[in-house]
Coordinates of all heavy atoms in Angstrom, one line a residue:
M3 N -0.9 124.6 105.9 CA -2.3 125.0 105.6 C -2.2 126.5 105.3 O -1.5 127.3 105.9 CB -3.2 124.7 106.8 CG -4.6 125.1 106.5 SD -5.6 124.0 107.5 CE -7.1 124.7 107.4
G4 N -2.9 126.9 104.3 CA -3.0 128.3 103.9 C -2.0 128.8 102.9 O -2.1 129.8 102.3
R5 N -1.0 127.9 102.6 CA 0.0 128.2 101.6 C 0.0 127.1 100.6 O -0.2 125.9 100.9 CB 1.4 128.4 102.2 CG 1.5 129.6 103.1 CD 2.9 129.8 103.6 NE 3.1 128.7 104.5 CZ 4.3 128.3 104.9 NH1 5.4 128.9 104.5 NH2 4.5 127.3 105.8
V6 N 0.4 127.4 99.3 CA 0.5 126.4 98.3 C 1.9 125.8 98.4 O 2.9 126.4 98.6 CB 0.4 127.1 96.9 CG1 0.7 126.1 95.8 CG2 -1.0 127.7 96.7
D7 N 1.9 124.5 98.4 CA 3.1 123.7 98.4 C 3.2 122.9 97.1 O 2.6 121.9 97.0 CB 3.2 122.7 99.6 CG 4.5 122.0 99.7 OD1 5.3 122.0 98.8 OD2 4.8 121.4 100.8
R8 N 4.0 123.4 96.2 CA 4.0 122.8 94.8 C 4.7 121.4 94.8 O 4.6 120.7 93.8 CB 4.7 123.8 93.9 CG 4.0 125.1 93.8 CD 4.1 125.8 92.5 NE 3.6 127.1 92.4 CZ 2.3 127.4 92.4 NH1 1.4 126.5 92.5 NH2 1.9 128.7 92.4
K9 N 5.3 121.0 95.9 CA 5.9 119.7 96.0 C 4.9 118.6 96.2 O 5.2 117.4 96.0 CB 7.0 119.7 97.1 CG 8.2 120.6 96.8 CD 9.1 120.5 97.9 CE 8.6 121.4 99.0 NZ 9.5 121.6 100.2
L10 N 3.7 119.0 96.7 CA 2.7 118.0 97.0 C 2.0 117.6 95.7 O 1.8 118.4 94.8 CB 1.6 118.5 97.9 CG 2.0 118.7 99.4 CD1 0.9 119.3 100.2 CD2 2.4 117.3 100.0
D11 N 1.5 116.4 95.6 CA 0.8 115.9 94.5 C -0.7 116.2 94.7 O -1.4 115.5 95.4 CB 1.0 114.3 94.3 CG 0.1 113.7 93.3 OD1 -0.2 114.4 92.3 OD2 -0.2 112.5 93.4
C12 N -1.1 117.3 94.1 CA -2.5 117.8 94.3 C -3.3 117.5 93.0 O -2.8 117.6 91.9 CB -2.6 119.2 94.7 SG -1.8 119.6 96.3
R13 N -4.6 117.2 93.2 CA -5.5 117.0 92.1 C -6.9 117.3 92.5 O -7.3 117.2 93.6 CB -5.4 115.6 91.5 CG -5.7 114.5 92.5 CD -4.4 113.8 92.9 NE -4.5 112.6 93.7 CZ -3.9 112.4 94.8 NH1 -3.1 113.4 95.3 NH2 -4.1 111.3 95.5
T14 N -7.7 117.8 91.5 CA -9.0 118.3 91.7 C -9.9 117.6 90.7 O -9.7 117.6 89.5 CB -9.2 119.8 91.6 OG1 -8.3 120.4 92.5 CG2 -10.6 120.2 91.8
Y15 N -11.0 116.9 91.3 CA -12.0 116.3 90.4 C -13.3 116.5 91.1 O -13.4 116.5 92.4 CB -11.8 114.8 90.3 CG -10.5 114.5 89.5 CD1 -9.4 114.0 90.2 CD2 -10.4 114.6 88.1 CE1 -8.2 113.7 89.5 CE2 -9.3 114.3 87.5 CZ -8.2 113.8 88.2 OH -7.0 113.5 87.5
S16 N -14.4 116.8 90.4 CA -15.7 117.0 90.9 C -15.8 118.0 92.0 O -16.5 117.9 93.0 CB -16.3 115.7 91.4 OG -16.4 114.7 90.3
G17 N -14.9 119.1 91.9 CA -14.9 120.1 92.8 C -14.2 119.8 94.1 O -14.3 120.6 95.1
V18 N -13.5 118.7 94.2 CA -12.8 118.3 95.4 C -11.3 118.3 95.1 O -10.9 117.6 94.2 CB -13.3 116.9 95.9 CG1 -12.5 116.4 97.1 CG2 -14.7 116.9 96.2
T19 N -10.5 118.9 96.0 CA -9.1 118.9 95.8 C -8.5 118.2 96.9 O -8.8 118.4 98.1 CB -8.5 120.4 95.8 OG1 -9.1 121.1 94.7 CG2 -7.0 120.4 95.7
V20 N -7.6 117.2 96.6 CA -6.8 116.5 97.6 C -5.3 116.6 97.3 O -5.0 116.7 96.1 CB -7.3 115.0 97.7 CG1 -8.7 114.9 98.2 CG2 -7.1 114.3 96.4
C21 N -4.5 116.5 98.3 CA -3.1 116.6 98.1 C -2.4 115.4 98.8 O -2.8 115.0 99.9 CB -2.5 117.9 98.5 SG -3.1 119.3 97.7
G22 N -1.3 114.9 98.2 CA -0.6 113.9 98.9 C -1.2 112.5 98.7 O -2.0 112.3 97.9
T23 N -0.7 111.6 99.4 CA -1.1 110.2 99.4 C -2.4 110.0 100.2 O -2.4 110.4 101.4 CB 0.0 109.2 99.9 OG1 1.1 109.4 99.1 CG2 -0.5 107.8 99.8
L24 N -3.4 109.4 99.6 CA -4.7 109.2 100.4 C -4.6 107.9 101.1 O -4.2 106.9 100.5 CB -5.9 109.3 99.4 CG -6.1 110.6 98.7 CD1 -7.2 110.5 97.7 CD2 -6.3 111.7 99.6
K25 N -5.1 107.8 102.3 CA -5.3 106.6 103.0 C -6.7 106.2 102.9 O -7.6 106.8 103.6 CB -4.9 106.8 104.5 CG -3.4 107.1 104.6 CD -3.0 107.1 106.1 CE -1.6 107.6 106.3 NZ -0.5 107.0 105.5
L26 N -7.0 105.2 102.0 CA -8.4 104.8 101.7 C -8.8 103.7 102.6 O -8.0 102.8 102.9 CB -8.5 104.4 100.2 CG -8.1 105.5 99.2 CD1 -8.2 104.9 97.8 CD2 -8.9 106.7 99.3
S27 N -10.1 103.7 102.9 CA -10.7 102.6 103.7 C -10.9 101.4 102.7 O -10.8 101.6 101.4 CB -12.1 103.0 104.2 OG -13.0 103.2 103.2
E28 N -11.2 100.3 103.2 CA -11.5 99.1 102.3 C -12.6 99.4 101.3 O -12.6 99.1 100.1 CB -11.8 97.9 103.1 CG -12.0 96.7 102.2 CD -10.9 96.3 101.2 OE1 -9.7 96.5 101.6 OE2 -11.2 96.0 100.1
A29 N -13.7 100.1 101.8 CA -14.8 100.4 100.9 C -14.4 101.4 99.8 O -14.8 101.3 98.7 CB -16.0 101.1 101.8
E30 N -13.5 102.4 100.2 CA -13.0 103.3 99.2 C -12.1 102.6 98.2 O -12.2 102.9 97.0 CB -12.3 104.5 99.9 CG -13.2 105.3 100.7 CD -12.5 106.2 101.7 OE1 -11.3 105.9 102.1 OE2 -13.0 107.2 102.2
R31 N -11.3 101.7 98.6 CA -10.5 100.9 97.7 C -11.3 100.1 96.7 O -11.0 100.0 95.5 CB -9.5 100.0 98.5 CG -8.4 100.9 99.1 CD -7.2 100.0 99.6 NE -7.6 99.0 100.7 CZ -7.7 99.3 102.0 NH1 -7.4 100.5 102.4 NH2 -8.1 98.4 102.8
E32 N -12.4 99.5 97.2 CA -13.3 98.7 96.4 C -14.0 99.7 95.4 O -14.1 99.3 94.2 CB -14.4 98.0 97.2 CG -15.4 97.2 96.4 CD -14.7 96.2 95.5 OE1 -13.7 95.6 95.9 OE2 -15.3 95.9 94.4
C33 N -14.4 100.8 95.8 CA -14.9 101.8 94.9 C -13.9 102.2 93.8 O -14.3 102.3 92.6 CB -15.3 103.1 95.7 SG -15.9 104.5 94.7
V34 N -12.7 102.4 94.1 CA -11.6 102.7 93.1 C -11.5 101.5 92.2 O -11.5 101.8 90.9 CB -10.3 103.0 93.8 CG1 -9.2 103.1 92.8 CG2 -10.3 104.3 94.6
R35 N -11.5 100.3 92.6 CA -11.3 99.1 91.7 C -12.5 99.1 90.8 O -12.4 98.9 89.6 CB -11.2 97.8 92.6 CG -9.9 97.6 93.2 CD -9.8 96.3 93.8 NE -10.6 96.1 95.0 CZ -10.3 96.3 96.2 NH1 -9.1 96.7 96.5 NH2 -11.1 96.1 97.2
D36 N -13.7 99.3 91.3 CA -14.9 99.2 90.5 C -14.9 100.4 89.5 O -15.2 100.2 88.3 CB -16.2 99.3 91.4 CG -17.5 99.2 90.6 OD1 -17.7 98.2 89.9 OD2 -18.3 100.1 90.7
S37 N -14.6 101.6 89.9 CA -14.6 102.7 89.0 C -13.5 102.6 87.9 O -13.8 103.0 86.7 CB -14.3 104.0 89.8 OG -15.4 104.2 90.7
T38 N -12.3 102.1 88.2 CA -11.3 102.0 87.2 C -11.7 100.9 86.2 O -11.4 101.0 85.0 CB -9.9 101.7 87.8 OG1 -10.0 100.6 88.6 CG2 -9.4 103.0 88.5
A39 N -12.4 99.8 86.7 CA -12.8 98.8 85.8 C -13.9 99.3 84.8 O -14.0 98.7 83.7 CB -13.4 97.6 86.6
K40 N -14.6 100.3 85.2 CA -15.6 100.9 84.3 C -15.0 102.0 83.5 O -15.7 102.7 82.7 CB -16.7 101.5 85.2 CG -17.5 100.4 85.8 CD -18.6 101.0 86.7 CE -19.4 99.8 87.4 NZ -20.4 100.4 88.3
G41 N -13.6 102.3 83.5 CA -13.0 103.2 82.6 C -12.5 104.5 83.2 O -11.9 105.3 82.5
L42 N -12.8 104.8 84.5 CA -12.4 106.0 85.1 C -10.9 105.9 85.4 O -10.4 104.8 85.7 CB -13.1 106.2 86.4 CG -13.4 107.6 86.9 CD1 -14.2 108.4 85.9 CD2 -14.1 107.6 88.2
T43 N -10.2 107.0 85.3 CA -8.7 107.0 85.6 C -8.5 106.7 87.1 O -9.4 107.1 87.9 CB -8.0 108.3 85.2 OG1 -8.5 109.3 86.0 CG2 -8.2 108.6 83.7
F44 N -7.4 106.1 87.4 CA -7.2 105.8 88.8 C -7.2 107.1 89.7 O -7.8 107.1 90.7 CB -5.8 105.1 89.0 CG -5.5 104.9 90.4 CD1 -6.0 103.8 91.1 CD2 -4.6 105.8 91.1 CE1 -5.7 103.6 92.5 CE2 -4.3 105.6 92.4 CZ -4.9 104.5 93.1
R45 N -6.5 108.1 89.2 CA -6.4 109.4 90.0 C -7.8 110.0 90.2 O -8.1 110.4 91.3 CB -5.5 110.4 89.3 CG -4.0 110.0 89.4 CD -3.1 110.9 88.6 NE -3.1 112.3 89.0 CZ -2.4 112.8 90.0 NH1 -1.6 112.1 90.7 NH2 -2.5 114.1 90.2
R46 N -8.7 110.0 89.2 CA -10.0 110.5 89.4 C -10.8 109.6 90.3 O -11.5 110.1 91.2 CB -10.7 110.7 88.1 CG -12.1 111.3 88.3 CD -12.7 111.7 87.0 NE -13.9 112.5 87.3 CZ -14.3 113.5 86.6 NH1 -13.6 113.9 85.6 NH2 -15.4 114.2 86.9
A47 N -10.8 108.3 90.1 CA -11.5 107.4 91.0 C -11.1 107.5 92.4 O -11.9 107.5 93.3 CB -11.3 106.0 90.5
E48 N -9.8 107.7 92.7 CA -9.3 107.8 94.0 C -9.9 109.0 94.7 O -10.3 108.9 95.8 CB -7.7 107.9 94.0 CG -7.1 108.0 95.3 CD -5.6 108.2 95.2 OE1 -5.1 108.9 94.3 OE2 -4.9 107.5 96.0
V49 N -9.9 110.1 94.0 CA -10.4 111.4 94.7 C -11.9 111.2 94.9 O -12.4 111.6 96.0 CB -10.1 112.6 93.8 CG1 -10.8 113.8 94.3 CG2 -8.6 112.8 93.8
E50 N -12.6 110.8 93.8 CA -14.1 110.7 94.0 C -14.5 109.7 95.0 O -15.5 110.0 95.8 CB -14.7 110.5 92.6 CG -14.6 111.7 91.7 CD -15.3 111.5 90.4 OE1 -16.0 110.5 90.1 OE2 -15.3 112.5 89.6
C51 N -13.9 108.6 95.1 CA -14.2 107.6 96.1 C -13.9 108.0 97.5 O -14.6 107.8 98.4 CB -13.5 106.2 95.7 SG -14.2 105.5 94.2
Y52 N -12.8 108.7 97.6 CA -12.4 109.3 98.9 C -13.4 110.3 99.4 O -13.8 110.3 100.5 CB -11.0 110.0 98.7 CG -10.5 110.6 100.0 CD1 -10.0 109.9 101.1 CD2 -10.5 112.0 100.1 CE1 -9.5 110.5 102.2 CE2 -10.0 112.7 101.2 CZ -9.5 111.9 102.3 OH -9.0 112.5 103.4
A53 N -13.9 111.1 98.5 CA -14.8 112.2 98.9 C -16.3 111.8 99.0 O -17.0 112.3 99.9 CB -14.7 113.3 97.8
F54 N -16.7 110.8 98.2 CA -18.1 110.5 98.1 C -18.5 109.1 98.5 O -19.7 108.8 98.6 CB -18.6 110.8 96.7 CG -18.3 112.2 96.2 CD1 -17.5 112.4 95.1 CD2 -18.8 113.3 96.9 CE1 -17.3 113.7 94.7 CE2 -18.6 114.6 96.5 CZ -17.8 114.8 95.3
A55 N -17.6 108.2 98.7 CA -17.9 106.8 99.1 C -18.2 106.7 100.6 O -17.7 107.4 101.4 CB -16.9 105.8 98.6

C-alpha cells in the first residue's frame, strides 16, 4: 500500500481502480455474465460489478 507495484494487473473503470485477481460474489459474477452478454468487456464488467453490484 502506498507504492506502485507494476507487476500487479491494475485497471480503472468508472473512477474505480482495482489490482490483482478479484474474488467476486455470486451476485457479482452474475452481473459480469449479464454485462458481457450486453457487450461490455469482461475486464470492465468485472470492475464495475465488483464496485457497484
Side-chain angles (χ1 to χ4, degrees):
M3 185 150 170
R5 291 183 292 165
V6 174
D7 185 346
R8 301 208 188 287
K9 294 178 281 186
L10 289 176
D11 175 29
C12 296
R13 55 256 189 232
T14 302
Y15 297 103
S16 300
V18 177
T19 300
V20 297
C21 297
T23 303
L24 299 178
K25 296 189 186 308
L26 301 177
S27 69
E28 181 56 39
E30 292 163 339
R31 288 191 299 273
E32 179 59 33
C33 175
V34 171
R35 286 189 291 269
D36 184 57
S37 295
T38 56
K40 292 178 180 173
L42 211 58
T43 65
F44 175 81
R45 287 173 61 86
R46 183 172 189 139
E48 182 182 42
V49 171
E50 291 187 359
C51 292
Y52 178 75
F54 304 119

